[in-house]
Amino acid sequence: NEGNEYFKEKDYGRAVAAYSEGLRRRSGDAELDAVLLTNRGAAHFHMGNYRSALNDAIQAKKLKPTHLKAIIRGALCHMELKNFSEALAWCEEGLQIDSKEKKLVEMRAKADKLKGTFLGIQTDFCTHCQGRAVMGIDLLCERNIKLVLEPSDEEEEVSDGLAEISLDGFHSDSATGAKVHLDADGNLNWPVLFLYPEHEQTDFTVAFHENSRFIDHLMVMFAELPPWDLEKKYLPNNLELYFEDEEKEEMYEVNPEHTLLQMLQHKRYFVKAGTPTVLVFAKRSPFSKKYFSGKKVHRL
């Protein structure tokens, strides 16, 4: 009930915390837990945490396969993540339960239309960016930002969930459904994905100004402890940030006092699918020690 009240007030962070507390009570009632998961997923969805929302929908559907609200929420998450084939499958599953459910009927039509499509973009080769580039890429080149584009559908079969990138007019549909955009002052604002490997959670910032510092965002994001941080370790000044160089299989620590642009300009940072990604760990935690074991880590 607390969660529902917070949800009505659009205080989605507190709603997530309340629903999580309800789940921690382990009622043993599968139907109640399915409702709690679905509601928490709805709160995550409104916060832009589409992957966390999808995880809750999946768990809710496992507990109650006929829970239509969970199926609708899962389908919506897949649409936001541009997983159109999966969205279509979830819609079909829901329509088996209620063939007249308006949201699913409309979503199925949209997913079917978008399934497998890929935005055709005019490309050329940019040696500075070390790969295929698009018209308008000079906005990134002048900032020394390296963008990795997926192969075009002419080169290999494109997965249904492939992000569509178009910098002609400058926008990029990221894996999270948001777009990088140029503001009136000529600065870029990026969608940024924060990953918490220890807890398999994500956070998503829709518009991270390129000249904003990471610590400023962390102070807002962790003004209150997240519901999954039972040990109360994830405090703004107790966090370490990293990015992964997948090609060399190496990790680089990011200074929280640095701006997003400073990280993007690092010689080994490559923006994939239009969305910068940062890994977040609690300082000196047993999990991070294990996670970094065997990896080459470049620390500050």
Side-chain angles (χ1 to χ4, degrees), residues 103-175:
K103 287 182 182 177
L104 290 175
V105 171
E106 292 176 352
M107 212 182 325
R108 179 178 65 178
K110 186 176 180 181
D112 191 45
K113 182 179 179 181
L114 294 171
K115 177 176 173 288
T117 63
F118 182 76
L119 182 63
I121 53 179
Q122 186 172 350
T123 66
D124 53 31
F125 193 83
C126 176
T127 54
H128 177 77
C129 294
Q130 300 177 13
R132 293 172 64 83
V134 297
M135 292 177 66
I137 201 73
D138 55 310
L139 283 168
L140 300 184
C141 285
E142 67 186 23
R143 287 168 167 80
N144 196 29
I145 296 174
K146 297 166 286 296
L147 180 72
V148 176
L149 292 180
E150 299 287 350
S152 72
D153 51 357
E154 294 176 358
E155 293 172 349
E156 71 175 59
E157 187 177 351
V158 177
S159 65
D160 297 319
L162 185 64
E164 296 173 353
I165 296 177
S166 171
L167 297 178
D168 188 10
F170 209 85
H171 73 271
S172 171
D173 285 346
S174 72

Side-chain angles (χ1 to χ4, degrees), residues 236-277:
N237 293 314
N238 192 44
L239 300 175
E240 292 181 342
L241 310 179
Y242 293 85
F243 70 82
E244 187 169 9
D245 181 346
E246 294 182 7
E247 183 182 333
K248 293 189 174 183
E249 298 182 350
E250 297 176 0
M251 304 288 293
Y252 287 84
E253 188 174 1
V254 177
N255 189 337
E257 299 290 334
H258 282 183
T259 65
L260 173 62
L261 182 58
Q262 284 176 292
M263 183 187 77
L264 298 182
Q265 290 177 330
H266 190 282
K267 63 181 180 180
R268 292 306 304 168
Y269 196 91
F270 299 88
V271 179
K272 295 186 178 180
T275 307
T277 301

Side-chain angles (χ1 to χ4, degrees), residues 6-297:
Y6 285 132
F7 193 94
K8 289 175 185 175
E9 295 168 7
K10 298 185 179 180
D11 191 343
Y12 301 119
R14 284 193 172 92
V16 165
Y19 295 134
S20 297
E21 181 61 29
L23 287 163
R24 277 198 291 271
R25 298 298 174 93
R26 300 187 182 279
S27 68
D29 184 335
E31 187 152 344
L32 175 59
D33 285 348
V35 170
L36 287 166
L37 284 162
T38 302
N39 289 359
R40 187 173 70 176
H44 271 307
F45 185 89
H46 284 283
M47 292 168 69
N49 299 334
Y50 302 124
R51 295 188 188 281
S52 294
L54 178 59
N55 288 338
D56 280 345
I58 290 170
Q59 294 304 315
K61 189 156 70 78
K62 285 181 180 177
L63 290 173
K64 188 181 177 185
T66 59
H67 192 34
L68 206 55
K69 284 187 177 179
I71 294 173
I72 292 171
R73 182 64 54 196
L76 283 167
C77 290
H78 278 304
M79 291 296 290
E80 290 292 338
L81 295 167
K82 301 192 181 300
N83 301 331
F84 301 122
S85 289
E86 289 83 352
L88 195 59
W90 279 62
C91 288
E92 294 288 1
E93 190 173 349
L95 291 169
Q96 291 290 321
I97 299 166
D98 183 354
S99 61
K100 297 181 181 179
E101 170 52 54
K102 186 179 178 182
K103 287 182 182 177
L104 290 175
V105 171
E106 292 176 352
M107 212 182 325
R108 179 178 65 178
K110 186 176 180 181
D112 191 45
K113 182 179 179 181
L114 294 171
K115 177 176 173 288
T117 63
F118 182 76
L119 182 63
I121 53 179
Q122 186 172 350
T123 66
D124 53 31
F125 193 83
C126 176
T127 54
H128 177 77
C129 294
Q130 300 177 13
R132 293 172 64 83
V134 297
M135 292 177 66
I137 201 73
D138 55 310
L139 283 168
L140 300 184
C141 285
E142 67 186 23
R143 287 168 167 80
N144 196 29
I145 296 174
K146 297 166 286 296
L147 180 72
V148 176
L149 292 180
E150 299 287 350
S152 72
D153 51 357
E154 294 176 358
E155 293 172 349
E156 71 175 59
E157 187 177 351
V158 177
S159 65
D160 297 319
L162 185 64
E164 296 173 353
I165 296 177
S166 171
L167 297 178
D168 188 10
F170 209 85
H171 73 271
S172 171
D173 285 346
S174 72
T176 45
K179 299 174 181 178
V180 58
H181 64 274
L182 197 64
D183 64 23
D185 297 321
N187 297 306
L188 295 180
N189 291 264
W190 293 84
V192 176
L193 191 62
F194 292 85
L195 306 178
Y196 309 99
E198 182 175 3
H199 297 279
E200 298 182 347
Q201 295 287 330
T202 65
D203 270 328
F204 177 58
T205 300
V206 176
F208 195 131
H209 190 287
E210 63 182 347
N211 293 320
S212 291
R213 301 182 308 164
F214 282 99
I215 187 62
D216 297 327
H217 280 268
L218 294 175
M219 293 296 286
V220 174
M221 291 162 61
F222 292 94
E224 293 187 19
L225 289 171
W228 39 263
D229 181 20
L230 301 180
E231 297 178 31
K232 300 181 180 179
K233 298 184 299 186
Y234 283 71
L235 303 170
N237 293 314
N238 192 44
L239 300 175
E240 292 181 342
L241 310 179
Y242 293 85
F243 70 82
E244 187 169 9
D245 181 346
E246 294 182 7
E247 183 182 333
K248 293 189 174 183
E249 298 182 350
E250 297 176 0
M251 304 288 293
Y252 287 84
E253 188 174 1
V254 177
N255 189 337
E257 299 290 334
H258 282 183
T259 65
L260 173 62
L261 182 58
Q262 284 176 292
M263 183 187 77
L264 298 182
Q265 290 177 330
H266 190 282
K267 63 181 180 180
R268 292 306 304 168
Y269 196 91
F270 299 88
V271 179
K272 295 186 178 180
T275 307
T277 301
V278 185
L279 288 86
V280 185
F281 300 86
K283 287 182 179 178
R284 296 176 293 278
S285 69
F287 177 87
S288 64
K289 289 179 181 177
K290 183 178 180 181
Y291 187 90
F292 294 129
S293 177
K295 291 186 172 76
K296 184 173 181 180
V297 182

